mmCIF file of all heavy atoms in Angstrom:
data_model
loop_
_atom_site.group_PDB
_atom_site.id
_atom_site.type_symbol
_atom_site.label_atom_id
_atom_site.label_comp_id
_atom_site.label_asym_id
_atom_site.label_seq_id
_atom_site.Cartn_x
_atom_site.Cartn_y
_atom_site.Cartn_z
ATOM 1 N N GLY A 244 130.211 44.032 66.447
ATOM 2 C CA GLY A 244 129.110 44.886 65.989
ATOM 3 C C GLY A 244 127.769 44.189 66.196
ATOM 4 O O GLY A 244 126.765 44.856 66.486
ATOM 5 N N SER A 245 127.680 42.849 66.028
ATOM 6 C CA SER A 245 126.404 42.206 66.247
ATOM 7 C C SER A 245 125.891 42.290 67.647
ATOM 8 O O SER A 245 124.702 42.457 67.876
ATOM 9 C CB SER A 245 126.542 40.674 65.830
ATOM 10 O OG SER A 245 127.404 39.997 66.770
ATOM 11 N N MET A 246 126.812 42.190 68.621
ATOM 12 C CA MET A 246 126.417 42.340 70.029
ATOM 13 C C MET A 246 125.950 43.772 70.306
ATOM 14 O O MET A 246 124.963 43.986 70.963
ATOM 15 C CB MET A 246 127.583 42.025 70.982
ATOM 16 C CG MET A 246 128.017 40.581 70.847
ATOM 17 S SD MET A 246 129.403 40.306 71.956
ATOM 18 C CE MET A 246 129.945 38.667 71.407
ATOM 19 N N GLY A 247 126.657 44.763 69.713
ATOM 20 C CA GLY A 247 126.238 46.168 69.892
ATOM 21 C C GLY A 247 124.873 46.379 69.278
ATOM 22 O O GLY A 247 124.030 47.090 69.845
ATOM 23 N N GLY A 248 124.571 45.794 68.137
ATOM 24 C CA GLY A 248 123.296 45.930 67.554
ATOM 25 C C GLY A 248 122.193 45.308 68.362
ATOM 26 O O GLY A 248 121.084 45.839 68.472
ATOM 27 N N ARG A 249 122.458 44.166 68.923
ATOM 28 C CA ARG A 249 121.436 43.447 69.759
ATOM 29 C C ARG A 249 121.168 44.232 70.998
ATOM 30 O O ARG A 249 120.040 44.370 71.457
ATOM 31 C CB ARG A 249 121.945 42.052 70.115
ATOM 32 C CG ARG A 249 121.853 41.106 68.912
ATOM 33 C CD ARG A 249 122.686 39.834 69.134
ATOM 34 N NE ARG A 249 122.365 39.164 70.447
ATOM 35 C CZ ARG A 249 123.154 38.376 71.110
ATOM 36 N NH1 ARG A 249 124.401 38.122 70.572
ATOM 37 N NH2 ARG A 249 122.801 37.843 72.192
ATOM 38 N N LEU A 250 122.247 44.820 71.584
ATOM 39 C CA LEU A 250 122.111 45.719 72.707
ATOM 40 C C LEU A 250 121.159 46.888 72.415
ATOM 41 O O LEU A 250 120.254 47.212 73.142
ATOM 42 C CB LEU A 250 123.419 46.164 73.245
ATOM 43 C CG LEU A 250 123.411 47.187 74.408
ATOM 44 C CD1 LEU A 250 122.743 46.537 75.694
ATOM 45 C CD2 LEU A 250 124.833 47.728 74.723
ATOM 46 N N ALA A 251 121.468 47.590 71.267
ATOM 47 C CA ALA A 251 120.666 48.712 70.905
ATOM 48 C C ALA A 251 119.219 48.376 70.632
ATOM 49 O O ALA A 251 118.256 49.106 71.110
ATOM 50 C CB ALA A 251 121.232 49.323 69.639
ATOM 51 N N ARG A 252 118.947 47.270 69.934
ATOM 52 C CA ARG A 252 117.561 46.833 69.686
ATOM 53 C C ARG A 252 116.841 46.512 70.946
ATOM 54 O O ARG A 252 115.641 46.756 71.116
ATOM 55 C CB ARG A 252 117.561 45.693 68.710
ATOM 56 C CG ARG A 252 117.994 45.999 67.282
ATOM 57 C CD ARG A 252 117.710 44.931 66.305
ATOM 58 N NE ARG A 252 118.422 43.686 66.610
ATOM 59 C CZ ARG A 252 119.666 43.404 66.158
ATOM 60 N NH1 ARG A 252 120.296 44.316 65.411
ATOM 61 N NH2 ARG A 252 120.234 42.217 66.447
ATOM 62 N N ALA A 253 117.516 45.825 71.890
ATOM 63 C CA ALA A 253 116.862 45.446 73.134
ATOM 64 C C ALA A 253 116.535 46.709 73.961
ATOM 65 O O ALA A 253 115.422 46.782 74.501
ATOM 66 C CB ALA A 253 117.814 44.533 73.964
ATOM 67 N N VAL A 254 117.486 47.604 74.079
ATOM 68 C CA VAL A 254 117.228 48.877 74.785
ATOM 69 C C VAL A 254 115.992 49.622 74.232
ATOM 70 O O VAL A 254 115.127 50.087 74.920
ATOM 71 C CB VAL A 254 118.435 49.783 74.828
ATOM 72 C CG1 VAL A 254 118.089 51.198 75.343
ATOM 73 C CG2 VAL A 254 119.542 49.174 75.635
ATOM 74 N N GLN A 255 115.938 49.730 72.867
ATOM 75 C CA GLN A 255 114.797 50.374 72.185
ATOM 76 C C GLN A 255 113.455 49.657 72.591
ATOM 77 O O GLN A 255 112.482 50.267 72.803
ATOM 78 C CB GLN A 255 115.010 50.403 70.711
ATOM 79 C CG GLN A 255 113.811 50.921 69.905
ATOM 80 C CD GLN A 255 113.568 52.414 70.170
ATOM 81 O OE1 GLN A 255 113.917 53.216 69.418
ATOM 82 N NE2 GLN A 255 112.774 52.669 71.256
ATOM 83 N N ARG A 256 113.539 48.289 72.550
ATOM 84 C CA ARG A 256 112.273 47.591 72.849
ATOM 85 C C ARG A 256 111.726 47.887 74.190
ATOM 86 O O ARG A 256 110.535 48.028 74.449
ATOM 87 C CB ARG A 256 112.543 46.066 72.670
ATOM 88 C CG ARG A 256 111.268 45.252 72.670
ATOM 89 C CD ARG A 256 111.533 43.792 72.319
ATOM 90 N NE ARG A 256 112.333 43.113 73.399
ATOM 91 C CZ ARG A 256 113.617 42.760 73.140
ATOM 92 N NH1 ARG A 256 114.192 43.018 72.030
ATOM 93 N NH2 ARG A 256 114.277 42.160 74.159
ATOM 94 N N TYR A 257 112.684 47.893 75.225
ATOM 95 C CA TYR A 257 112.249 48.184 76.559
ATOM 96 C C TYR A 257 111.708 49.624 76.734
ATOM 97 O O TYR A 257 110.765 49.892 77.450
ATOM 98 C CB TYR A 257 113.414 47.899 77.549
ATOM 99 C CG TYR A 257 113.723 46.514 77.677
ATOM 100 C CD1 TYR A 257 115.066 46.006 77.377
ATOM 101 C CD2 TYR A 257 112.787 45.499 77.964
ATOM 102 C CE1 TYR A 257 115.398 44.679 77.459
ATOM 103 C CE2 TYR A 257 113.138 44.145 78.020
ATOM 104 C CZ TYR A 257 114.428 43.726 77.734
ATOM 105 O OH TYR A 257 114.776 42.423 77.835
ATOM 106 N N LEU A 258 112.428 50.567 76.030
ATOM 107 C CA LEU A 258 111.890 51.966 76.058
ATOM 108 C C LEU A 258 110.584 52.157 75.412
ATOM 109 O O LEU A 258 109.811 53.044 75.737
ATOM 110 C CB LEU A 258 112.972 52.915 75.475
ATOM 111 C CG LEU A 258 114.301 52.924 76.231
ATOM 112 C CD1 LEU A 258 115.287 53.871 75.506
ATOM 113 C CD2 LEU A 258 114.138 53.508 77.651
ATOM 114 N N LEU A 259 110.215 51.296 74.469
ATOM 115 C CA LEU A 259 108.899 51.315 73.843
ATOM 116 C C LEU A 259 107.846 50.625 74.728
ATOM 117 O O LEU A 259 106.669 50.845 74.523
ATOM 118 C CB LEU A 259 108.957 50.582 72.516
ATOM 119 C CG LEU A 259 109.681 51.404 71.353
ATOM 120 C CD1 LEU A 259 109.769 50.503 70.130
ATOM 121 C CD2 LEU A 259 108.949 52.671 71.013
ATOM 122 N N ASP A 260 108.259 49.948 75.727
ATOM 123 C CA ASP A 260 107.351 49.267 76.670
ATOM 124 C C ASP A 260 107.837 49.602 78.100
ATOM 125 O O ASP A 260 108.312 48.739 78.834
ATOM 126 C CB ASP A 260 107.347 47.776 76.416
ATOM 127 C CG ASP A 260 106.403 47.040 77.318
ATOM 128 O OD1 ASP A 260 105.514 47.680 77.877
ATOM 129 O OD2 ASP A 260 106.550 45.817 77.507
ATOM 130 N N PRO A 261 107.828 50.908 78.484
ATOM 131 C CA PRO A 261 108.436 51.310 79.757
ATOM 132 C C PRO A 261 107.780 50.664 80.988
ATOM 133 O O PRO A 261 108.444 50.439 81.996
ATOM 134 C CB PRO A 261 108.211 52.859 79.751
ATOM 135 C CG PRO A 261 107.048 53.078 78.830
ATOM 136 C CD PRO A 261 107.237 52.059 77.764
#
Side-chain angles (χ1 to χ4, degrees):
S245 66
M246 296 177 193
R249 287 163 54 203
L250 175 64
R252 290 191 297 273
V254 168
Q255 174 65 98
R256 189 174 67 252
Y257 293 123
L258 293 177
L259 287 173
D260 183 19

